[in-house]
Amino acid sequence: MHFQRSALRRTIAALAVASGVALLAPAPATAVPHPPKPRQQVFAYVTSHDGHVYPIDTRTNIVVGFGATEVGGGPDQVAVTPDGASLYVTNAFRYVSAVNIAKRSVTDILYDKDELSPDSLYGEAIAPDGKHVYVAVQNPFDGDKVSVIDTTTNKASATINVSRPDQVVINPSGNRLYVSDKGGLSVIDTTTNQVVDTIRLDEPAKGMAITPNGKRLYVTGGSGAVSVVNLAKRKIVHTIPDAGTGGLAISPNGRRAYVVGVDTKVTQGKVSVINLNTDTVTKTVHIGDIPPSTGSGRYFRPAEVAITPDGKSAYVVGSYGHGTPQGTVFAINTATDAVTPITVGAGDTMGVAVGQL
């Protein structure tokens, strides 16, 4: 389920170049080969209600030594630019935090200077070329909108009027932005920042993701069903029942979707794995605690999920339960379904994104 809510380091890599071995006879001169490029390291960035973003080294599943970045009150969603150099973190009210990872510097991008009329920030998406960030903003006084941030200046450069925007996703080519509202989806042409069409949904969206080929959009809702939207036809063509009510992510190869929610039969958090060739749930991975036998108690409620570029790991965040302490992230090995809890801070984990440096 989507909550109203709301990094970091230097590049890692030291290369060793093998020294050449002298030959007994002189060899003809050859061009000196280019040294190999440093291997990019993958990090999972997690926002916490304690006001920080925590980077997790996906090789070791521990928070890296350079520590966390403080981003202010109520951090929620987090997105990484395609070059892996910057993070954009939505805070519960009033601003987005732009984090330069190498410099570990933070710039707060304000939307409303009136303390009595705060903006509430929801979903966000970064354009594939990294030039713009799109943020859903609700404001009962000054109007709802999608704010467009120019990543060069870190200032809001445009406004798109959309009523009650919530979830935001952009297609792989970057020319269409899909914004959920109470009744469906607004389709926005990003070259003009104009709404060009609408798509009806059966219920308000809780999470959204587009396949790598840009043909289909998967949407979760409060009922637990996932709607499959054909973006060419601009309509729902299939519904997958009992999959999840929260965030979802699609594997880089486009073969699977991972959807978070709650298994109501055992009252425990879960990740449903969907085969995108058949649009069916093929397995369920349970995560977090279950209520104690002496009473209903609390249990871990997953909110968001992100997948590593190689598709081998999924990272799940959410609110704590009876036996799951605050500040917990769950790493799932997608081949074995092994679940590893990771402690990152002192507050509920709210958002997660994966990036390479």
Side-chain angles (χ1 to χ4, degrees):
M1 51 199 82
H2 179 76
F3 296 86
Q4 179 174 309
R5 35 205 193 223
S6 42
L8 332 189
R9 74 248 172 299
R10 335 176 166 101
T11 331
I12 304 175
L15 289 180
V17 179
S19 60
V21 179
L23 300 178
L24 294 178
T30 57
V32 177
H34 294 293
K37 293 182 178 180
R39 177 184 169 191
Q40 287 186 305
Q41 176 55 37
V42 179
F43 295 91
Y45 299 99
V46 176
T47 57
S48 170
H49 249 179
D50 67 9
H52 295 81
V53 179
Y54 295 92
I56 298 171
D57 186 333
T58 61
R59 298 172 303 180
T60 61
N61 280 334
I62 61 173
V63 178
V64 293
F66 46 77
T69 294
E70 187 171 358
V71 290
D76 181 7
Q77 300 293 286
V78 57
V80 188
T81 52
D83 61 5
S86 300
L87 306 175
Y88 286 83
V89 180
T90 63
N91 289 270
F93 302 102
R94 298 195 65 240
Y95 60 87
V96 167
S97 295
V99 180
N100 182 305
I101 296 174
K103 296 180 179 179
R104 297 180 60 186
S105 62
V106 180
T107 301
D108 291 334
I109 305 168
L110 294 173
Y111 291 99
D112 193 338
K113 296 181 181 180
D114 184 356
E115 292 286 350
L116 300 178
S117 178
D119 290 325
S120 295
L121 309 184
Y122 289 82
E124 66 174 333
I126 295 182
D129 62 9
K131 293 181 179 180
H132 297 96
V133 182
Y134 300 87
V135 181
V137 182
Q138 294 185 20
N139 191 309
F141 303 100
D142 296 333
D144 302 331
K145 58 195 173 186
V146 173
S147 284
V148 185
I149 297 172
D150 185 321
T151 58
T152 300
T153 63
N154 277 334
K155 293 182 179 180
S157 59
T159 294
I160 307 168
N161 294 323
V162 178
S163 177
R164 307 297 290 174
D166 193 325
Q167 297 297 295
V168 180
V169 68
I170 194 166
N171 67 351
S173 62
N175 64 342
R176 289 292 183 270
L177 183 74
Y178 299 88
V179 182
S180 69
D181 53 33
K182 290 188 297 184
L185 297 172
S186 294
V187 183
I188 295 170
D189 183 335
T190 59
T191 61
T192 62
N193 288 332
Q194 298 294 317
V195 177
V196 295
D197 206 345
T198 58
I199 299 174
R200 184 188 64 82
L201 296 178
D202 294 332
E203 57 184 333
K206 298 293 184 181
M208 302 195 301
I210 295 178
T211 53
N213 62 11
K215 293 182 178 181
R216 290 179 294 168
L217 168 68
Y218 286 76
V219 186
T220 63
S223 70
V226 173
S227 297
V228 184
V229 179
N230 183 308
L231 293 177
K233 297 180 179 178
R234 295 183 179 176
K235 67 176 184 179
I236 296 173
V237 294
H238 192 62
T239 301
I240 307 168
D242 195 29
T245 55
L248 74 159
I250 294 175
S251 61
N253 62 13
R255 296 176 181 174
R256 294 177 179 85
Y258 297 82
V259 186
V260 300
V262 172
D263 187 334
T264 56
K265 295 178 182 178
V266 296
T267 318
Q268 187 179 12
K270 70 175 183 179
V271 176
S272 297
V273 183
I274 298 174
N275 183 318
L276 298 190
N277 290 323
T278 61
D279 282 338
T280 56
V281 176
T282 57
K283 61 182 175 180
T284 300
V285 180
H286 289 92
I287 53 175
D289 54 351
I290 59 176
S293 58
T294 55
S296 60
R298 295 189 63 180
Y299 57 95
F300 181 77
R301 292 172 172 84
E304 304 289 345
V305 59
I307 309 295
T308 53
D310 60 10
K312 294 181 179 180
S313 299
Y315 289 83
V316 180
V317 299
S319 57
Y320 74 101
H322 178 81
T324 300
Q326 285 179 299
T328 301
V329 179
F330 291 96
I332 301 174
N333 182 313
T334 60
T336 66
D337 298 335
V339 179
T340 302
I342 306 165
T343 300
V344 299
D348 285 345
T349 51
M350 304 301 294
V352 58
V354 172
Q356 298 185 103
L357 267 183

